[in-house]
Amino acid sequence: SQQGEEDPQALSIQEGENATMNCSYKTSINNLQWYRQNSGRGLVHLILIRSNEREKHSGRLRVTLDTSKKSSSLLITASRAADTASYFCATAPQGGSEKLVFGKGMKLTVNP
Amino acid sequence: DTAVSQTPKYLVTQMGNDKSIKCEQNLGHDTMYWYKQDSKKFLKIMFSYNNKELIINETVPNRFSPKSPDKAHLNLHINSLELGDSAVYFCASSRFKNTGELFFGEGSRLTVL
């Protein structure tokens, strides 16, 4: 069953601005991951944050995780037109499941 | 070198036909997956194999049959295709079966007419 829910479903910003995407989930997790999908392409892993971590950085990406609120956010700073893509959060549920469950995705458009 | 490659990239076929999609990974990973992405971009797991052993089998019609001849390959065969099978099918792999980072192929877009 679907676990993550990204918010907003679509976001349009100007190049140079920051983009924040949120993900909410329902059950306890081992980790949460963010992926990017360019149009017509496969998903690319961006960052993984474990349940005992609160914040993680990778280049222009910053991910936070609040397990008490069952939510995560992905911040892309100084956005570029090349960041235009769909972004998905995916959760690895606790309890030994090997199943990574993806949210519906969020479309980010960065206008040059 | 492509890490996860799947063929064909596009499939257009008639209802009732049988088709196969092949997937190969050269990353040395133990676990491979098939995901289905529908027209609304929703991505759902179908199957997962770990070292050729089936470990995840979601509620998928038995017209779909995965086959893993070795841990580098995972193929998907679909019998008696239906209109609702139209989707993009993604193969993915991961180093272990414990839900770490997934590496995806480019997808195979199946259109059933």
Side-chain angles (χ1 to χ4, degrees):
Chain A
S1 63
Q2 187 185 335
Q3 168 82 307
E5 190 90 22
E6 292 87 352
D7 169 58
Q9 300 233 303
L11 180 63
S12 182
I13 59 174
Q14 294 301 121
E15 214 166 20
E17 292 180 342
N18 295 341
T20 299
M21 290 161 269
N22 301 304
C23 170
S24 59
Y25 57 91
K26 295 175 183 171
T27 62
S28 297
I29 60 171
N30 278 327
N31 68 64
L32 184 145
Q33 303 176 35
W34 285 91
Y35 287 79
R36 183 189 74 228
Q37 184 180 30
N38 290 88
S39 182
R41 306 294 298 273
L43 281 78
V44 175
H45 182 266
L46 295 176
I47 198 163
L48 181 154
I49 186 164
R50 301 189 193 285
S51 60
N52 60 354
E53 297 175 310
R54 290 296 165 259
E55 189 171 313
K56 209 161 181 182
H57 296 253
S58 176
R60 293 184 296 113
L61 306 180
R62 174 179 166 245
V63 168
T64 61
L65 178 64
D66 187 335
T67 51
S68 66
K69 294 181 180 176
K70 291 187 169 57
S71 68
S72 173
S73 68
L74 171 67
L75 169 67
I76 303 175
T77 59
S79 64
R80 304 166 182 168
D83 295 327
T84 294
S86 292
Y87 290 81
F88 294 82
C89 69
T91 50
Q94 242 177 27
S97 167
E98 293 91 4
K99 189 167 62 176
L100 194 62
V101 181
F102 284 81
K104 289 180 181 176
M106 197 224 80
K107 173 69 180 171
L108 173 67
T109 303
V110 181
N111 302 298
Chain B
D1 281 342
T2 305
V4 181
S5 59
Q6 47 183 116
T7 56
K9 190 168 172 64
Y10 299 98
L11 270 168
V12 181
T13 189
Q14 300 286 331
M15 261 175 40
N17 284 351
D18 304 338
K19 288 293 176 187
S20 292
I21 307 171
K22 295 186 175 182
C23 179
E24 176 182 2
Q25 54 96 2
N26 63 5
L27 297 166
H29 288 168
D30 285 346
T31 311
M32 295 184 73
Y33 310 79
W34 279 110
Y35 278 84
K36 178 181 179 181
Q37 187 173 47
D38 63 23
S39 58
K40 295 184 179 177
K41 298 277 193 182
F42 180 48
L43 200 67
K44 189 174 178 191
I45 191 167
M46 300 173 70
F47 302 102
S48 175
Y49 273 75
N50 179 254
N51 271 320
K52 301 195 297 174
E53 179 189 348
L54 181 67
I55 57 171
I56 294 175
N57 185 353
E58 288 294 282
T59 308
V60 174
N62 57 15
R63 298 182 294 103
F64 290 79
S65 51
K67 196 163 189 178
S68 181
D70 55 63
K71 74 173 194 177
H73 295 85
L74 180 61
N75 303 323
L76 182 65
H77 187 75
I78 316 169
N79 288 326
S80 304
L81 279 156
E82 299 177 357
L83 292 176
D85 297 332
S86 295
V88 182
Y89 293 85
F90 285 98
C91 177
S93 73
S94 64
R95 191 171 177 194
F96 306 114
K97 65 177 180 177
N98 61 352
T99 56
E101 175 184 355
L102 296 186
F103 291 77
F104 280 83
E106 291 294 293
S108 297
R109 180 176 292 276
L110 172 65
T111 303
V112 183
L113 304 174

